Amino acid sequence: MTNRLPALIAGSMLAFAAHGAIAATLTFNLGGSGGLDNSAPSQFTFIQGGVTLRATPGYSTDNGSTLVENGTGQPYIAQWSPGLGVYDYCESRRCNDEDDDQHTVDNAPRPGMRSDRADDFIKFSFGGEQVRVMSIKLGCLGCDLGRTADWDISYRVGDGDWANRNNTGVGGAARDNNGNATYLFTSSPYLLASSDIFRVGAKFGDDNDSFKILAITVETQPPVVITTESVPVPGTVLLLGSAL
């Protein structure tokens, strides 16, 4: 009779590995002095815990129905401390420090289009890894986070619908002593490898949002081990197998 003990032991060990796998929490700090990337595509890349995060810019002029990204005519991404922003022109090519900034994520119109209400966003992809977005941290450069509507956001998880979050009220951002704001995504689904995109930007339809994206925190999907031998093995049999 064929000795099935080695197979049973191996199956037990694989099953243990599957149940023992845990998720990892990774925080990508997006600040730095990379300046303006005016190449095509305009992007910055970050690596943390074996996961590659790519950030690219985009904008919408019709509340998210049409996205301009990854092609000609898009704005550029910019990295000046404390975080990432979208480099474009403010109204009449001059910035209003209270409402707009040339390299923040904001609602500034495109050049020569004073009424288009183009809303900037940054598109994050994760190199095909399965992750869940847990939080984003916003900061300020050339803006005032004390104003109630200065850091409202629109966001989109994977292929889902666009959603909004406001700085105040239920689901609002928590502010720290440095004036930075953090939005938590406690019920965010996992982004799958085929759709690992998270977009976040100035709230569609607003006219005075203006912020930098300082950091994004994600949770990696635990690996799943599928085995053909999953029969539980008593501890005494495992000890016997070790002796053999």
Side-chain angles (χ1 to χ4, degrees):
M1 181 177 67
T2 303
N3 185 359
R4 292 177 50 83
L5 182 59
L8 288 173
I9 294 173
S12 175
M13 297 303 287
L14 285 173
F16 175 80
H19 290 294
I22 59 175
T25 300
L26 305 175
T27 296
F28 295 87
N29 294 309
L30 308 177
S33 56
L36 175 69
D37 182 6
N38 56 4
S39 59
S42 179
Q43 64 182 339
F44 280 102
T45 301
F46 307 85
I47 300 177
Q48 187 70 253
V51 176
T52 298
L53 170 68
R54 189 177 71 152
T56 56
Y59 69 85
S60 172
T61 58
D62 54 2
N63 292 333
S65 297
T66 302
L67 306 181
V68 179
E69 58 184 1
N70 300 336
T72 59
Q74 70 180 36
Y76 300 122
I77 198 165
Q79 185 195 50
W80 283 291
S81 184
L84 293 180
V86 178
Y87 187 90
D88 49 25
Y89 291 93
C90 301
E91 188 170 353
S92 299
R93 301 195 180 190
R94 299 185 64 180
C95 292
N96 178 343
D97 288 341
E98 291 186 351
D99 295 336
D100 305 310
D101 188 84
Q102 266 190 308
H103 45 84
T104 61
V105 179
D106 57 37
N107 314 102
R110 306 279 75 74
M113 301 289 290
R114 293 171 59 91
S115 61
D116 69 359
R117 293 297 182 198
D119 302 302
D120 296 333
F121 64 85
I122 293 181
K123 172 184 173 182
F124 296 101
S125 61
F126 299 89
E129 297 292 334
Q130 296 185 27
V131 302
R132 182 175 72 85
V133 176
M134 300 178 68
S135 68
I136 57 168
K137 185 177 181 180
L138 308 182
C140 190
L141 184 65
C143 56
D144 178 12
L145 283 181
R147 301 180 63 203
T148 58
D150 214 22
W151 30 307
D152 299 334
I153 63 170
S154 291
Y155 68 95
R156 183 181 183 186
V157 180
D159 293 329
D161 295 330
W162 284 96
N164 298 322
R165 295 279 288 276
N166 296 322
N167 134 50
T168 58
V170 177
R175 188 153 41 141
D176 61 24
N177 292 332
N178 297 319
N180 301 319
T182 299
Y183 283 97
L184 301 179
F185 295 88
T186 55
S187 60
S188 178
Y190 273 97
L191 295 165
L192 302 180
S194 60
S195 181
D196 66 339
I197 304 298
F198 178 75
R199 296 176 177 87
V200 60
K203 184 179 177 182
F204 296 148
D206 275 7
D207 61 2
N208 58 353
D209 300 315
S210 181
F211 52 81
K212 294 277 192 170
I213 301 181
L214 277 61
I216 181 169
T217 298
V218 302
E219 178 186 75
T220 62
Q221 174 76 294
V224 177
V225 180
I226 301 175
T227 71
T228 56
E229 298 288 348
S230 59
V231 180
V233 180
T236 52
V237 177
L238 287 175
L239 291 175
L240 176 59
S242 299
L244 292 175

